[in-house]
Amino acid sequence: MKEPDVLVVGGGPAGMNAALAAAESGASVVLVDRFAKLGGQLVKQTHKFFGWADRGAGARGIELAQKWSHAVLAQPQVETYLGKEMIGAYRDGIWLVADQEKYIKIKPKRTVIATGASEKMILFENNDLPGVYGAGAVQTLMNSYGILPGEHYLIVGSGNVGVIVAYQLLQAGAVVRAVIDVLPRLGGAYWVHAAKIQRAGIPILLQRTITGVYGNQKVERAETVGVDDKFRLIPGTERTFRVDVVCLAVGLTPLSDLLFELGIQEYYIPELGGFVPWHDQTGRTNRKDLFVVGDVSGIEEATTASLQGRIAGLTAASDLGYAVDEQMRRRLIEALAEFRCSTLSQNVCSGLDRLAGKEASQ
Ligand SMILES: Cc1cc2nc3c(=O)[nH]c(=O)nc-3n(C[C@H](O)[C@H](O)[C@H](O)COP(=O)(O)OP(=O)(O)OC[C@H]3O[C@@H](n4cnc5c(N)ncnc54)[C@H](O)[C@@H]3O)c2cc1C
């Protein structure tokens, strides 16, 4: 059985930074990711990142993934288990990693959960017909595996993910018929990609929703309809799109199954993506030895994920008696608060305030 000081589950920006911060403070770290490559969402982000310049904004996601993954792999204090899935934990503190035919047991002193998020689904007729994808899944196929799952696309959701995937589909030579959104305004806060796709002739149709997809064994057309200010369907505004792929970009929700198994206290905070684990400003949950960082703690972005990772990594190391630069830890906590409360993330900020107002029970 492995007995590291710190176990990190998830090798995205949050997990990599947690592992680096703990290891640089002297702690022994095991980092587990179910993919063969470190980087999480970053490995498919070919666009220049929005966010905060001090934490990588302006660089492409794939460049950030490379920078942090090289640092992790070069760090002698970090042992990485890639292509292996964390499947659960026992209440006595032993974690179980599935490694093909066998299981690896890990008993850490501290654990940082950085498992990210999963895509949300919406209801419409035949939403299980082949050709209906999460936008993130299409992005993975396209940018990580070089596969376009179809030729003609309808994107549902005009948030950052929807418009970025629409733009990348365009770059890959696909035809994007339209981006639709049920809201009366763009869902995303960063308009650069929305402007780019509109300049390329892709309409963004607001106050419109999808009602069904139809075809012989696979999507051949999508039906949409306009909605009023109360989201009621408006008869007579139906519109058909001839597409073979519908990309759903309707939001992300924290991937918190492991936390649920452990009985970590969660609250429903819609601004943060759904059920989120209660945690303090260092990421510590109601279980003293367990931290949450990045999207699993509430949907935000790579800037905040990397900062949260650093703070939790330093705090975990400090708990175990390693000498940690306290000034730096405080500066990181302040930087995180400052970035979150910029005008771009007010929604997140109010969600975090609501979470902070909740009780932690032991
Ligand atoms: C299309 C798109 C565009 C984006 N653009 C931007 C942008 O421009 N700027 C920005 O700041 N942010 C952007 N983001 C958001 C950003 O990518 C995420 O907020 C960030 O990656 C979250 O980091 P994370 O480490 O929490 O999770 P992730 O990056 O999702 O990493 C989680 C990791 O955990 C692993 N994992 C999950 N479960 C297990 C398990 N049971 N066992 C082992 N491993 C597990 C996964 O394999 C994954 O590698 C974008 C996201 C998308 C989808």
Side-chain angles (χ1 to χ4, degrees):
M1 182 158 63
K2 286 267 158 199
E3 297 190 15
D5 288 323
V6 181
L7 166 66
V8 179
V9 185
M16 289 190 289
N17 277 285
L20 284 170
E24 285 160 8
S25 309
S28 60
V29 178
V30 166
L31 188 161
V32 181
D33 198 293
R34 62 185 175 192
F35 282 112
K37 226 172 156 179
L38 286 170
Q41 294 287 325
L42 301 184
V43 300
K44 60 188 184 184
Q45 309 299 357
T46 52
H47 61 284
K48 287 188 180 165
F49 257 42
F50 52 73
W52 197 15
D54 287 5
R55 298 302 300 172
R60 295 180 196 281
I62 44 178
E63 293 163 353
L64 293 173
Q66 256 171 17
K67 181 178 102 177
W68 285 323
S69 65
H70 284 161
V72 169
L73 296 172
Q75 170 53 256
Q77 290 285 106
V78 182
E79 190 174 350
T80 46
Y81 288 180
L82 298 180
K84 301 177 186 12
E85 179 151 15
M86 179 63 73
I87 56 168
Y90 297 100
R91 283 181 193 269
D92 59 4
I94 296 180
W95 293 78
L96 214 56
V97 180
D99 181 12
Q100 297 189 7
E101 305 278 286
K102 59 183 196 314
Y103 297 101
I104 303 167
K105 281 183 180 176
I106 304 181
K107 188 162 193 203
K109 297 188 182 74
R110 291 289 180 274
T111 302
V112 180
I113 300 290
T115 45
S118 63
E119 299 193 272
K120 287 184 182 168
M121 185 58 172
I122 49 171
L123 287 178
F124 54 86
E125 200 169 344
N126 299 327
N127 68 1
D128 58 349
L129 202 60
V132 177
Y133 287 83
V138 167
Q139 201 190 32
T140 303
L141 285 171
M142 176 171 60
N143 293 351
S144 297
Y145 299 103
I147 295 167
L148 270 181
E151 287 176 42
H152 300 101
Y153 294 73
L154 175 70
I155 314 282
V156 181
S158 70
N160 296 325
V161 172
V163 292
I164 284 169
V165 171
Y167 182 63
Q168 292 178 356
L169 280 164
L170 207 64
Q171 289 179 310
V175 176
V176 180
R177 298 264 192 235
V179 175
I180 64 168
D181 203 304
V182 76
L183 294 176
R185 58 187 145 69
L186 274 184
Y190 303 91
W191 294 320
V192 55
H193 289 94
K196 280 183 181 173
I197 62 171
Q198 285 176 299
R199 277 205 300 276
I202 300 174
I204 299 182
L205 307 173
L206 301 176
Q207 292 198 287
R208 178 160 290 275
T209 190
I210 185 165
T211 51
V213 288
Y214 306 91
N216 183 16
Q217 310 283 326
K218 61 183 178 55
V219 174
E220 290 170 9
R221 66 175 215 275
E223 297 292 346
T224 70
V225 65
V227 298
D228 66 16
D229 290 341
K230 296 204 161 63
F231 303 107
R232 289 176 300 218
L233 309 187
I234 306 173
T237 59
E238 294 81 5
R239 190 162 162 190
T240 302
F241 290 92
R242 294 273 158 205
V243 292
D244 50 354
V245 177
V246 168
C247 286
L248 300 178
V250 290
L252 302 168
T253 194
L255 198 55
S256 58
D257 322 29
L258 293 170
L259 302 168
F260 182 73
E261 272 177 46
L262 282 171
I264 296 300
Q265 193 174 7
E266 296 191 74
Y267 289 101
Y268 186 71
I269 311 275
E271 298 93 320
L272 300 179
F275 280 97
V276 291
W278 183 90
H279 56 278
D280 68 11
Q281 58 180 358
T282 69
R284 200 191 299 274
T285 64
N286 60 311
R287 236 181 81 159
K288 189 178 176 307
D289 62 343
L290 196 137
F291 296 78
V292 287
V293 291
D295 280 354
V296 72
S297 69
I299 307 300
E300 295 188 64
E301 44 199 38
T303 297
T304 48
S306 65
L307 279 168
Q308 284 178 286
R310 284 263 152 201
I311 294 163
L314 289 175
T315 309
S318 161
D319 277 1
L320 302 175
Y322 291 100
V324 161
D325 182 343
E326 269 309 318
Q327 243 185 352
M328 146 113 73
R329 196 167 72 110
R330 259 201 315 280
R331 270 205 311 273
L332 291 172
I333 291 173
E334 282 162 15
L336 181 60
E338 186 193 332
F339 178 71
R340 279 173 165 163
C341 293
S342 69
T343 49
L344 294 179
S345 37
Q346 270 168 3
N347 203 27
V348 168
C349 223
S350 74
L352 288 164
D353 282 347
R354 282 182 38 192
L355 185 65
K358 306 275 184 193
E359 292 285 309
S361 72
Q362 292 306 312

